[in-house]
Amino acid sequence: MEVCRATAFSWTHTISTSLQVSLPPSKWETKRLTVWCASDQTQKANQMTVSVTGATGFVGRRLVQRLHADNHSVHVLTRSKSKAELIFPVKDFPGIIIAEESEWKDSIRGSTGVVNLAGTPISTRWSSEIKKEIKQSRIRVTSKVIDLINDLPDAVRPTVLVSATAVGYYGTSETQVFDEQSPSGNDYLAEVCREWEGTALKVNKDVRLALIRIGVVLGKDGGALAKMIPLFMVFAGGPVGSGKQWFSWIHLDDIVNLIYEALSNPSYKGVINGTAPNPVRFAEMCQHLGNVLGRPSWLPVPDFALKAVLGEGASVVLDGQRVLPLKAKELGFSFKYSYVKDALKSIIT
């Protein structure tokens, strides 16, 4: 490396991948000093290419935003390119690749990791056809992703798969406490989750697999709160059913951070509960929501009213489970929102 023969110097380049320093033209010989910025090189080494199914959903959208903001390459795996292009316009998301199903293989090839979030929403009225689609949509997409990963040569195969599942795996109970070691339940959603996870477990053994059993995700622009807030705003909010059912929740920011960490941290593998450390009874959840909104929450919504709207799907909110994120805590994951009161305040105020 050569340095100028004078102590005075002028900047000729802003700090970026390299820093150039030289003397202004003079009778002295001008030499150039190139300094490689270690932080830039580290950043490049840590950049990921991530393929995401379910990217247009509630959690997927925020995850893509986070990955893109951190300068990672994102491939949106979708079955509706037009919908994805509306959600991720080029002017706001330059560089994002939107791949239709026929292009998924090329997108997954060479990706650092894959995040699998796809599935038909369960918070709707269940008919026999809808129940079939709830299960098959998850199995179908997961199976396709697994086949595409497994068919790739080692050199271009992703090293990590983060695949969503749900706390419905455990069944429901007002008295039991569930963690990652707890057995599966015996109801419909438990069956869906078992098959969903079982499909993901077929991934190549050299691929690190993190199965995130996600609770009720709280955020402003979708999920459970999008349905609950309008009720409270017309003074009709209140506990659904008995109010004694457990509500295992997680803030949208925290579930995105957990998935992000699972992508980049090799310690994250196996089943990880994606729930906040302090689940609450549904009545307490409604009380906090009413307080934050400045609306009453004493008038219960009767079971029959919810069943009239959602049919068998009402079990999603009429029944619950107390799920604890033991694995995430053991791994040292830091929850931004551990208490539902704080989570609701951050979302609504």
Side-chain angles (χ1 to χ4, degrees):
M1 161 169 87
E2 296 179 310
V3 185
C4 307
R5 283 191 245 154
T7 55
F9 59 84
S10 63
W11 300 104
T12 64
H13 199 288
T14 55
I15 295 176
S16 61
T17 304
S18 65
L19 175 66
Q20 298 176 348
V21 183
S22 66
L23 282 171
S26 72
K27 63 180 180 180
W28 292 317
E29 181 184 357
T30 301
K31 303 292 183 183
R32 174 175 289 178
L33 170 67
T34 300
V35 180
W36 293 100
C37 295
S39 60
D40 286 345
Q41 299 306 305
T42 301
Q43 183 182 23
K44 284 186 177 181
N46 290 336
Q47 282 180 341
M48 298 183 289
T49 299
V50 182
S51 292
V52 185
T53 72
T56 59
F58 183 43
V59 176
R61 276 175 286 165
R62 184 66 67 88
L63 176 65
V64 169
Q65 290 167 4
R66 167 77 190 280
L67 289 166
H68 184 260
D70 286 356
N71 295 315
H72 298 294
S73 297
V74 182
H75 298 177
V76 171
L77 307 185
T78 182
R79 289 190 294 164
S80 175
K81 194 166 187 175
S82 58
K83 179 182 178 181
E85 287 173 341
L86 286 174
I87 293 172
F88 305 113
V90 174
K91 65 181 178 66
D92 297 326
F93 296 91
I96 280 186
I97 294 174
I98 297 176
E100 292 183 305
E101 201 160 354
S102 61
E103 303 167 318
W104 286 14
K105 183 176 182 178
D106 290 337
S107 288
I108 291 174
R109 174 188 292 270
S111 289
T112 312
V114 177
V115 179
N116 178 37
L117 300 171
T120 297
I122 63 172
S123 54
T124 184
R125 185 177 180 85
W126 292 358
S127 62
S128 58
E129 292 79 13
I130 290 295
K131 286 178 69 176
K132 185 177 179 181
E133 179 59 20
I134 285 171
K135 181 192 288 189
Q136 289 191 350
S137 64
R138 287 160 172 78
I139 305 304
R140 181 174 60 244
V141 174
T142 303
S143 182
K144 182 176 181 66
V145 167
I146 297 304
D147 288 344
L148 292 175
I149 291 174
N150 290 349
D151 287 345
L152 288 170
D154 293 348
V156 291
R157 183 183 295 128
T159 58
V160 56
L161 169 64
V162 181
S163 197
T165 171
V167 294
Y169 174 91
Y170 301 111
T172 62
S173 175
E174 288 187 7
T175 57
Q176 285 183 271
V177 179
F178 302 100
D179 61 36
E180 288 86 353
Q181 300 301 317
S182 300
S184 182
N186 54 15
D187 58 15
Y188 166 70
L189 287 180
E191 176 188 321
V192 171
C193 291
R194 281 195 305 273
E195 293 192 31
W196 197 4
E197 293 183 15
T199 304
L201 285 166
K202 295 176 183 176
V203 73
N204 184 287
K205 298 307 177 186
D206 291 332
V207 177
R208 177 171 57 86
L209 173 64
L211 290 166
I212 313 294
R213 289 181 184 154
I214 302 175
V216 180
V217 180
L218 301 181
K220 194 168 190 175
D221 301 321
L225 283 185
K227 293 180 173 62
M228 295 175 68
I229 288 175
L231 291 175
F232 276 82
M233 297 308 289
V234 295
F235 295 89
V240 176
S242 70
K244 295 179 181 179
Q245 68 270 39
W246 283 98
F247 189 74
S248 292
W249 60 278
I250 188 167
H251 191 286
L252 179 58
D253 288 351
D254 279 329
I255 191 59
V256 167
N257 289 343
L258 185 64
I259 293 169
Y260 192 101
E261 192 69 18
L263 277 169
S264 57
N265 189 330
S267 298
Y268 283 64
K269 51 190 173 183
V271 174
I272 303 170
N273 285 335
T275 59
N278 298 289
V280 293
R281 301 276 188 182
F282 202 76
E284 182 181 345
M285 158 69 186
C286 290
Q287 182 182 359
H288 286 307
L289 181 57
N291 289 340
V292 172
L293 290 171
R295 295 290 189 270
S297 60
W298 55 267
L299 182 63
V301 178
D303 292 15
F304 71 81
L306 198 64
K307 288 177 179 177
V309 176
L310 295 179
E312 192 180 349
S315 64
V316 174
V317 286
L318 290 175
D319 305 313
Q321 56 281 109
R322 186 183 183 187
V323 179
L324 301 180
L326 294 192
K327 186 74 173 291
K329 294 178 77 172
E330 287 172 6
L331 289 165
F333 180 78
S334 178
F335 286 89
K336 189 175 179 182
Y337 301 99
S338 294
Y339 296 93
V340 72
K341 181 179 179 180
D342 298 328
L344 292 172
K345 282 183 178 179
S346 77
I347 293 164
I348 295 166
T349 59

